[in-house]
C-alpha cells in the first residue's frame, strides 16, 4: 500500500470530529486543514500538537516532540505511524429539552410542580486536545448526536438550579417564571459554563424558549385557584366574604335526596348563606364611621366570628384580624 503523502479532510459536512482513516504517513507529508478546523496530531495515543487552517509539512521542525518519539534512520526519510484527528472549530447550534417534567418547589406556595422547558444553545470547541481525549476517545467520528447525548443530561440536571435561582432572586411564583426568560437564560449560561469547559468546550449562547406546566397537575390547579381567589379579594374587597358565604350556602343546598328534600335543603342553604353573609356584613360594618352592630357586645361578636372559623368559613388569619378590630373598638 502506498504511503500517505497528502492528508486532507474527507468527512461529512457538519462532523464535529473526524479521524483520518490511515496512519502510515510519509515523513514530509502534506497536512491540509480547512478554515474553521483544527487538526490534532497523535502519536502512540498522545496528542503532540495542533495545526490550524493551511497546508503543513509534517517534519521534526514543525513537530519538535516528534523527533523524540519517531525513529528516523536513513536521513529521516522513512515513514512513521501517527493519527490525524480533525476538529470542527466553528460555532455549533444545538437544541435541548426536558424529556420528563422536572419537579421544582415553588418558594412562595411551597408546592412542587412538574416543569417542562426547551430551548437551544451554541457551543464551540476551544481546546481540541481536551475535547478529543475526554469526549471522542477512539471513535472514528463524532457528530451532533454524540454531543447531544453528552450535554443534554447535564443541562437538564442544572435546569432546576438556575430556575430556582431566578425565582428566589425576584421573589416570583414559579408559575410566572416565563416572564423572566432572559434572566433565566443568562443564569443557565453561567451555571453550565464550568461543565462545558471541562470537556474543552465553550458555551457561546444559551436560550430558554419556553417553560410550561401540566395544566391537569393537581398542584398546578391549587396555585391557580389561590391566584384566582387573590384576584377576587383584591377586586371585590369586603364583598368577597359575603360572596364566599353565599357560595357555601348554595353548595349546601345541592345535597342528594328527593325533590322535597332538595327544596328544603335549598331553602336552608340559601338561608344559612344569607345569615352568614349578614353576620359578616355586620362585623365588616363596625369598621365604618358611625356604625356599630345593634344589640351586640364584643363577646357575642367574637363568638359569632369563632363559629365561622370553626365551620371553615373564614381562615385563622381572617379571624385574628377581625377579633383584633372588635377588641380595639371597645
Amino acid at each position: 500500500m502506498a504511503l500517505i503523502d497528502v492528508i486532507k479532510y474527507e468527512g461529512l459536512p457538519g462532523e464535529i470530529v473526524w479521524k483520518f482513516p490511515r496512519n502510515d504517513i510519509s515523513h514530509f507529508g502534506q497536512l491540509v486543514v480547512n478554515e474553521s478546523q483544527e487538526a490534532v496530531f497523535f502519536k502512540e495515543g498522545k496528542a503532540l500538537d495542533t495545526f490550524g487552517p493551511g497546508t503543513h509539512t509534517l517534519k521534526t521542525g514543525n513537530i519538535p516532540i516528534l523527533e523524540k518519539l519517531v525513529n528516523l534512520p536513513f536521513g529521516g526519510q522513512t515513514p512513521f505511524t501517527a493519527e490525524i484527528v480533525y476538529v470542527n472549530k466553528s460555532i455549533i447550534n444545538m437544541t435541548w429539552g426536558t424529556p420528563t417534567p422536572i419537579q421544582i418547589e415553588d418558594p412562595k406556595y411551597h408546592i412542587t410542580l412538574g416543569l417542562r422547558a426547551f430551548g437551544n444553545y451554541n457551543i464551540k470547541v476551544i481546546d481540541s486536545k481536551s475535547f478529543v481525549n475526554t469526549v471522542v476517545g477512539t471513535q472514528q467520528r463524532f457528530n451532533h448526536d454524540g454531543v447531544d447525548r453528552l450535554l443534554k443530561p447535564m443541562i437538564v440536571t442544572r435546569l432546576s438550579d438556575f430556575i430556582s435561582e431566578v425565582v428566589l432572586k425576584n421573589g416570583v411564583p414559579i408559575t410566572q417564571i416565563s416572564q423572566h426568560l432572559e434572566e433565566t437564560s443568562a443564569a443557565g449560561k453561567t451555571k453550565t459554563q464550568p461543565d462545558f469547559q471541562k470537556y474543552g468546550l465553550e458555551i457561546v449562547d444559551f436560550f430558554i424558549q419556553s417553560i410550561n406546566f401540566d395544566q391537569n397537575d393537581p398542584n398546578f390547579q391549587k396555585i391557580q385557584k389561590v391566584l384566582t381567589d387573590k384576584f377576587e379579594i383584591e377586586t371585590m374587597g369586603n364583598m368577597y366574604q359575603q360572596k364566599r358565604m353565599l357560595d357555601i350556602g348554595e353548595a349546601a343546598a345541592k345535597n342528594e335526596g328527593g325533590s322535597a328534600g332538595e327544596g328544603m335543603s335549598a331553602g336552608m342553604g340559601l338561608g344559612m348563606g344569607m345569615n352568614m353573609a349578614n353576620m359578616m356584613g355586620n362585623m365588616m360594618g363596625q369598621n365604618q364611621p358611625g356604625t356599630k352592630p345593634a344589640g351586640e357586645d364584643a363577646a357575642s361578636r367574637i363568638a359569632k366570628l369563632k363559629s365561622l372559623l370553626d365551620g371553615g368559613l373564614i381562615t385563622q388569619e381572617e379571624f385574628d384580624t377581625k377579633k383584633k378590630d372588635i377588641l380595639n373598638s371597645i
Side-chain angles (χ1 to χ4, degrees), residues 297-308:
D297 56 17
S300 63
R301 288 157 57 196
I302 293 176
K304 288 184 177 181
L305 197 64
K306 182 64 166 59
S307 67
L308 296 179

Side-chain angles (χ1 to χ4, degrees), residues 267-282:
M268 292 175 62
L270 182 59
M272 181 175 66
M274 294 291 290
N275 289 335
M276 288 188 293
N278 290 334
M279 288 166 60
M280 182 55 74
N282 289 336

Side-chain angles (χ1 to χ4, degrees), residues 75-327:
Q77 301 301 314
T78 58
F80 59 91
T81 58
E83 295 179 332
I84 302 295
V85 177
Y86 284 90
V87 179
N88 184 353
K89 298 280 286 185
S90 62
I91 293 177
I92 305 165
N93 180 260
M94 306 290 296
T95 60
W96 64 271
T98 53
T100 57
I102 296 177
Q103 302 301 312
I104 299 182
E105 181 179 346
D106 188 290
K108 183 173 183 179
Y109 300 110
H110 303 290
I111 293 177
T112 300
L113 295 177
L115 172 150
R116 292 183 181 273
F118 67 87
N120 66 293
Y121 60 102
N122 297 319
I123 58 173
K124 182 179 181 180
V125 178
I126 57 174
D127 187 340
S128 297
K129 291 182 182 180
S130 177
F131 182 70
V132 173
N133 283 330
T134 60
V135 177
V136 183
T138 60
Q139 297 181 65
Q140 185 69 31
R141 52 172 38 89
F142 199 76
N143 54 24
H144 282 66
D145 291 339
V147 174
D148 186 63
R149 288 192 299 270
L150 171 72
L151 300 179
K152 184 179 290 184
M154 179 191 67
I155 291 175
V156 173
T157 299
R158 294 279 183 258
L159 182 64
S160 59
D161 292 340
F162 54 81
I163 287 182
S164 297
E165 178 180 291
V166 173
V167 168
L168 292 173
K169 176 182 176 182
N170 294 278
V172 297
I174 191 68
T175 52
Q176 297 178 20
I177 189 63
S178 293
Q179 301 175 17
H180 301 268
L181 290 184
E182 184 175 348
E183 295 173 63
T184 312
S185 297
K189 179 179 179 180
T190 301
K191 286 285 187 181
T192 55
Q193 189 71 272
D195 296 302
F196 282 74
Q197 288 176 344
K198 69 183 181 182
Y199 296 118
L201 298 170
E202 175 187 11
I203 181 164
V204 181
D205 300 294
F206 185 88
F207 302 102
I208 298 178
Q209 297 175 325
S210 175
I211 296 177
N212 54 74
F213 304 89
D214 181 3
Q215 303 292 317
N216 296 320
D217 184 346
N219 285 342
F220 179 78
Q221 293 177 352
K222 287 179 183 178
I223 290 183
Q224 292 300 101
K225 185 178 186 307
V226 169
L227 295 177
T228 301
D229 290 346
K230 181 175 181 292
F231 174 78
E232 288 188 351
I233 291 172
E234 293 175 348
T235 303
M236 300 178 65
N238 291 344
M239 291 296 295
Y240 173 77
Q241 294 293 346
Q242 297 184 37
K243 175 183 178 298
R244 181 180 176 188
M245 294 176 186
L246 288 172
D247 290 342
I248 293 173
E250 291 176 0
K254 296 179 180 179
N255 294 340
E256 293 183 1
S259 58
E262 290 179 357
M264 294 178 61
S265 296
M268 292 175 62
L270 182 59
M272 181 175 66
M274 294 291 290
N275 289 335
M276 288 188 293
N278 290 334
M279 288 166 60
M280 182 55 74
N282 289 336
M283 283 183 274
M284 291 286 187
Q286 61 92 20
N287 281 331
Q288 301 175 7
T291 62
K292 186 175 182 179
E296 292 186 359
D297 56 17
S300 63
R301 288 157 57 196
I302 293 176
K304 288 184 177 181
L305 197 64
K306 182 64 166 59
S307 67
L308 296 179
L309 174 64
D310 294 339
L313 303 178
I314 61 174
T315 65
Q316 183 66 49
E317 182 179 357
E318 292 168 336
F319 172 80
D320 293 339
T321 300
K322 292 304 301 177
K323 178 181 176 181
K324 182 178 179 181
D325 291 340
I326 293 172
L327 294 175

Side-chain angles (χ1 to χ4, degrees), residues 27-40:
H27 194 245
F28 293 104
Q30 301 295 300
L31 172 63
V32 180
V33 183
N34 299 323
E35 291 292 333
S36 300
Q37 284 184 336
E38 195 166 62
V40 185

